[in-house]
Amino acid sequence: MTNYSKWDKFAADLASDTEGEEEQQLVDYTKKSARYIHIPARDFPNEKEALCKLLEEDDEFEPPSSGAAGIPTDDSETPAGLQRALTKYGWKSIGSQFIPGYGVNSNGDDLWRVFFDDCFLTTQTVANPGARALLGNASLGSFVVACFDRKSGSDKLISKKEVADLIMRRQQGADGERIDLEQKEQAKRMQMFEELGAQTVDLKPTALEHLLLPAATASQDNWQQQLLQQLPTD
């Protein structure tokens, strides 16, 4: 008779050894030394080390404080940090979106989000496979990823390997449960809003609107956070 327990232990030990070897191989990319990491619009092999090499730390990136703050004005009045990002990445304005499964309605304190050209569907032409894996939508041009710490209220230091892990995990469909839980929590919050007397509208996007969602979500995220602050806590 086959000893399945023995084989299960062997498989677990093998997986542990493989993970240990990977950690050792990618040790140069595990240092948490930047708050913002650039995902270039380039293809990459289905191999984590190659993806880590592709990613670029951006210590000088300054995220806009609001959706309006990401829109440039006259060159003489545009903040230096905003102008730097627009010039470096070829953006027209800056938008942002929480990664599905890691937004304000998700569990945990790490809220992953990306910054991008808010008009990328009309201004950018090069596909970004890494960003598409994170968002599940058409993604063009450069993207910058960050992790907002719910406890500290600011973006935390992250590593290239953390970002590579997240991208690879999304490609493999491993975050499906997280996304489902977040959607259920959001539905629960909306029910609470209705019970408080708020009027909600169910906007089900068309195929075209679905592609436009990433560029329109920044203001929605701000709106959700403002409403959440008014809710009673457990």
Side-chain angles (χ1 to χ4, degrees):
M1 181 179 294
T2 303
N3 187 338
Y4 290 104
S5 296
K6 176 182 177 180
W7 284 109
D8 288 343
K9 183 179 184 304
F10 173 77
D13 291 342
L14 181 61
S16 178
D17 290 342
T18 302
E19 291 174 359
E21 291 174 0
E22 180 185 85
E23 289 291 333
Q24 185 63 35
Q25 183 181 7
L26 301 177
V27 66
D28 292 338
Y29 306 103
T30 58
K31 184 178 180 181
K32 299 181 181 183
S33 54
R35 287 181 169 80
Y36 307 101
I37 292 180
H38 173 218
I39 306 175
R42 292 202 296 270
D43 289 323
F44 55 88
N46 189 27
E47 199 269 321
K48 194 172 295 184
E49 185 174 10
L51 178 54
C52 286
K53 290 180 179 179
L54 175 70
L55 300 173
E56 303 169 347
E57 296 181 351
D58 187 350
D59 296 324
E60 298 180 11
F61 182 79
E62 297 180 18
S65 57
S66 66
I71 302 174
T73 55
D74 183 86
D75 288 344
S76 61
E77 299 179 1
T78 300
L82 173 60
Q83 189 59 53
R84 175 194 172 276
L86 298 179
T87 301
K88 178 178 176 65
Y89 298 122
W91 295 343
K92 297 300 182 183
S93 61
I94 300 180
S96 67
Q97 177 186 348
F98 285 109
I99 295 173
Y102 294 90
V104 294
N105 293 311
S106 64
N107 295 324
D109 295 320
D110 291 345
L111 309 183
W112 288 89
R113 56 179 176 165
V114 288
F115 299 89
F116 46 83
D117 185 341
D118 205 21
C119 306
F120 68 75
L121 287 176
T122 57
T123 59
Q124 304 295 325
T125 58
V126 183
N128 192 319
R132 181 181 178 86
L134 294 178
L135 299 179
N137 293 325
S139 303
L140 306 177
S142 290
F143 278 64
V144 174
V145 64
C147 184
F148 184 82
D149 186 343
R150 201 194 299 261
K151 286 184 177 179
S152 67
S154 61
D155 293 322
K156 63 188 294 185
L157 293 172
I158 55 178
S159 69
K160 290 184 178 181
K161 183 179 181 298
E162 284 181 298
V163 177
D165 284 339
L166 186 58
I167 292 174
M168 301 291 282
R169 191 162 64 243
R170 305 290 283 203
Q171 283 188 322
Q172 298 164 3
D175 271 346
E177 185 176 354
R178 280 192 72 100
I179 296 173
D180 182 59
L181 289 174
E182 182 181 54
Q183 291 175 341
K184 289 179 178 178
E185 184 62 24
Q186 183 172 2
K188 179 181 175 182
R189 296 284 189 182
M190 294 306 294
Q191 182 178 357
M192 294 175 67
F193 296 154
E194 292 176 353
E195 292 174 355
L196 290 173
Q199 183 178 1
T200 60
V201 179
D202 183 15
L203 298 176
K204 296 182 179 179
T206 63
L208 176 59
E209 290 171 335
H210 184 69
L211 291 177
L212 294 174
L213 275 175
T217 310
S219 59
Q220 178 183 351
D221 290 335
N222 293 336
W223 172 78
Q224 285 184 332
Q225 292 182 63
Q226 291 173 9
L227 285 177
L228 287 174
Q229 292 175 357
Q230 302 176 27
L231 290 175
T233 55
D234 296 333

